[in-house]
């Protein structure tokens, strides 16, 4: 195979693009930026990304996809719970006004049902956004993507490695070396935002009669704040999140579970079982624990890594067994008695 010989490329991510190929003859262009969907190989030639994402890559994309969903659920629950008592008064006022106007009374939807519908809608929005994102990614029309393998942290920040051969002129070789793990997250967030603006306002206006007009859309307003924050987070810290997200999941899930159980005054198994919502929260955190453990182990050795999942219930059990020893009233009473 004959290859056009040219001077070697400078810089870590500069490469030569294939211009012409005829049989065994390949002619490459000058050293520069690789086209989208390609990255340089060891010989400094731009090669198409044809590999399948690894399990760890899918877990990273799953983590980035979960962030807006978890934030949606948090703010929906926050504002629906915060206004639970006030909403009952407003709902009664609403019904009284309707009866005075001789209109058919609309009893609306209870706050708990309203929040549940919004939770389901948020899940539907994020799920559809993920499916559409995969369909519009290369190859188009299938739930599958081609990617370039992540080799090191600098692959996420190619703009920092543009060479300056004469210390005056900069050769710009910035491209997505981790294609498409960097840009696909932005596309997903864009679809999430579009679907939310199309579906959620109509749903909230229809079912959230229990909330005041200024309160029923607050979960949507919150999304208009956290989506730009998530976008900036991905743009600046995407590479750091790629390597740190398993530990972030574990730490945050442990902290939030402890805070929730403490705020709900759960001290034994009976307190945990009296409400279905508490069990749902517990199982959700267990799923996050398992997700973090799988992400750290990467399940390289299945027979060795799967037993680690037995550690999933450990934090909750530890809390239940030790909660009685850390009750503030007991500590204060023992301190007053000089123990």
């Amino acid at each position: 195979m004959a290859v056009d010989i040219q001077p070697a490329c400078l810089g870590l991510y500069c490469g030569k693009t294939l211009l012409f190929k005829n049989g065994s003859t390949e002619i490459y262009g000058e050293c520069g930026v690789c086209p989208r969907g390609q990255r340089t190989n060891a010989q400094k030639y731009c090669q198409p990304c044809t590999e399948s994402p690894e399990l760890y890559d899918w877990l990273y994309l799953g983590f980035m996809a979960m962030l807006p969903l978890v934030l949606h659920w948090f703010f929906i629950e926050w504002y629906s719970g915060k206004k639970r008592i006030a909403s009952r008064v407003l709902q009664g006022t609403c019904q009284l006004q309707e009866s005075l106007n001789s209109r058919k009374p609309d009893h609306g939807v209870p706050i708990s049902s309203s929040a549940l519908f919004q939770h389901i809608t948020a899940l539907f929005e994020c799920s559809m956004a993920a499916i559409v994102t995969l369909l519009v990614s290369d190859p188009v029309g299938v739930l599958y993507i081609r990617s370039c393998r992540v080799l090191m942290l600098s692959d996420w920040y190619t703009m920092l490695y543009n060479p300056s051969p004469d210390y005056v002129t900069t050769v710009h070789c910035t491209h997505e070396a981790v294609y498409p793990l960097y840009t696909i997250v932005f596309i997903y967030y864009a679809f999430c935002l579009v679907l939310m603006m199309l579906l959620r306002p109509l749903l909230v206006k229809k079912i959230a009669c229990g909330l005041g007009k200024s309160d029923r859309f607050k979960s949507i307003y919150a999304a208009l704040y956290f989506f730009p924050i998530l976008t900036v987070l991905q743009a600046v810290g995407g590479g750091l999140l790629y390597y740190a997200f398993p530990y972030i999941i574990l730490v945050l899930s442990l902290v939030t579970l402890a805070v929730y159980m403490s705020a709900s005054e759960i001290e034994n198994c009976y307190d945990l079982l009296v409400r279905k919502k508490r069990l749902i929260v517990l199982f959700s955190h267990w799923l996050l624990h398992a997700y973090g453990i799988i992400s750290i182990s990467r399940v390289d050795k299945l027979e060795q890594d799967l037993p680690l999942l037995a550690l999933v219930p450990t934090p909750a059990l530890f809390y239940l067994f030790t909660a009685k020893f850390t009750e503030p009233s007991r500590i204060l009473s023992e301190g007053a008695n000089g123990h």
Side-chain angles (χ1 to χ4, degrees):
M1 180 179 65
V3 179
D4 183 39
I5 304 299
Q6 294 184 4
C9 276
L10 299 176
L12 191 59
Y13 296 101
C14 294
K16 299 174 183 177
T17 305
L18 180 63
L19 299 179
F20 176 78
K21 182 177 181 179
N22 184 13
S24 61
T25 302
E26 295 181 353
I27 300 178
Y28 287 85
E30 296 182 355
C31 186
V33 61
C34 291
R36 174 173 167 79
Q38 299 184 18
R39 70 165 296 170
T40 56
N41 58 15
Q43 291 75 35
K44 296 296 183 181
Y45 293 114
C46 297
Q47 297 293 328
C49 300
T50 56
E51 298 183 9
S52 299
E54 297 179 340
L55 174 62
Y56 188 83
D57 298 333
W58 285 114
L59 291 172
Y60 165 74
L61 293 178
F63 168 73
M64 299 306 294
M66 282 191 299
L67 285 179
L69 177 60
V70 172
L71 289 173
H72 276 313
W73 284 349
F74 171 79
F75 285 108
I76 290 171
E77 192 64 28
W78 172 265
Y79 288 115
S80 63
K82 189 176 180 181
K83 299 294 182 180
R84 196 178 302 274
I85 298 177
S87 64
R88 294 174 182 172
V89 179
L90 290 174
Q91 185 176 1
T93 305
C94 226
Q95 295 173 358
L96 178 60
Q97 183 64 34
E98 288 174 350
S99 62
L100 291 176
N101 292 337
S102 299
R103 292 184 297 181
K104 184 179 179 179
D106 182 9
H107 299 289
V109 180
I111 289 298
S112 57
S113 300
S114 172
L116 177 61
F117 283 132
Q118 292 185 67
H119 286 311
I120 295 174
T121 304
L123 177 61
F124 175 77
E125 293 165 4
C126 293
S127 300
M128 288 301 301
I131 293 174
V132 174
T133 301
L134 291 176
L135 291 176
V136 300
S137 300
D138 186 38
V140 179
V142 295
L143 297 176
Y144 169 81
I145 57 175
R146 291 194 292 262
S147 68
C148 287
R149 192 173 301 277
V150 181
L151 302 178
M152 47 188 166
L153 179 62
S154 60
D155 291 346
W156 293 83
Y157 303 102
T158 57
M159 75 290 293
L160 303 178
Y161 295 89
N162 293 322
S164 298
D166 54 1
Y167 300 99
V168 176
T169 304
T170 300
V171 180
H172 295 281
C173 298
T174 301
H175 65 284
E176 189 179 4
V178 295
Y179 175 87
L181 301 182
Y182 187 75
T183 54
I184 197 172
V185 177
F186 299 122
I187 298 173
Y188 167 73
Y189 288 164
F191 281 122
C192 281
L193 186 60
V194 170
L195 289 174
M196 183 196 71
M197 297 305 297
L198 291 176
L199 300 178
R200 194 85 63 83
L202 299 177
L203 177 73
V204 172
K205 185 177 180 180
K206 180 68 176 178
I207 68 175
C209 182
L211 294 175
K213 292 183 178 179
S214 61
D215 298 325
R216 64 177 66 178
F217 295 107
K218 281 190 175 180
S219 62
I220 300 177
Y221 297 154
L224 298 179
Y225 282 97
F226 69 67
F227 268 120
I229 294 175
L230 291 178
T231 302
V232 173
L233 186 65
Q234 167 68 5
V236 176
L240 300 176
L241 289 175
Y242 179 81
Y243 290 100
F245 82 89
Y247 308 98
I248 294 175
I249 290 178
L250 279 181
V251 172
L252 290 182
S253 61
L254 290 175
V255 172
T256 53
L257 179 61
V259 170
Y260 175 79
M261 297 180 74
S262 177
S264 301
E265 299 182 353
I266 299 174
E267 297 182 358
N268 50 56
C269 293
Y270 176 77
D271 295 336
L272 194 59
L273 298 175
V274 292
R275 295 185 181 179
K276 294 181 180 179
K277 179 181 177 181
R278 294 179 178 179
L279 290 177
I280 294 175
V281 172
L282 177 63
F283 290 144
S284 300
H285 280 82
W286 282 0
L287 289 177
L288 290 176
H289 296 345
Y291 196 94
I293 291 174
I294 293 174
S295 301
I296 292 176
S297 65
R298 303 194 184 193
V299 198
D300 293 328
K301 298 180 179 179
L302 192 63
E303 65 280 0
Q304 296 181 8
D305 296 334
L306 282 183
L308 293 175
L309 296 179
L311 298 174
V312 167
T314 303
L317 296 177
F318 178 81
Y319 180 92
L320 293 176
F321 289 147
T322 59
K324 58 183 178 181
F325 301 111
T326 59
E327 187 178 356
S329 59
R330 176 175 179 174
I331 297 175
L332 293 175
S333 62
E334 290 182 352
N337 294 332
H339 296 294

